[in-house]
Amino acid sequence: MEDRSRILLRAIGNTIRKIREKRNMTQEYVAEQVGMTIEEFEKLESGNIKGITREELDNFINMINADRVEAEHI
């Protein structure tokens, strides 16, 4: 049985993937925008955050928020 932290990380990864897909963004595009390699971003979406920096996560959150605000003004 998986421990709670592993389940939580998978849930976070799934949420990130769903947000990206809902906004019709590719993994490559998001990775480039937040300063990650595609491999790092794939790991993030699978729930493996080892090696992912706080700055990269913050960049992702800021990018998603900016995209949401921009879409609201269209």
Side-chain angles (χ1 to χ4, degrees):
M1 183 169 131
E2 290 184 295
D3 63 336
R4 295 177 123 190
S5 62
R6 186 46 135 178
I7 293 169
L8 178 60
L9 291 174
R10 280 198 180 162
I12 291 169
N14 284 335
T15 300
I16 289 170
R17 180 183 47 77
K18 288 177 184 176
I19 291 168
R20 176 185 59 77
E21 289 175 346
K22 184 176 181 181
R23 289 177 170 76
N24 296 314
M25 297 177 179
T26 65
Q27 287 179 324
E28 292 83 3
Y29 174 78
V30 176
E32 181 180 310
Q33 295 300 308
V34 300
M36 297 175 145
T37 66
I38 184 63
E39 292 82 9
E40 289 172 328
F41 192 76
E42 288 171 347
K43 286 180 183 178
L44 178 61
E45 283 193 348
S46 70
N48 180 356
I49 63 168
K50 185 176 182 180
I52 306 300
T53 67
R54 173 67 187 254
E55 180 181 2
E56 291 167 332
L57 290 174
D58 288 343
N59 288 345
F60 174 76
I61 292 166
N62 292 334
M63 185 191 79
I64 292 301
N65 285 336
D67 182 66
R68 180 184 52 82
V69 169
E70 183 178 306
E72 289 175 357
H73 293 301
I74 294 177

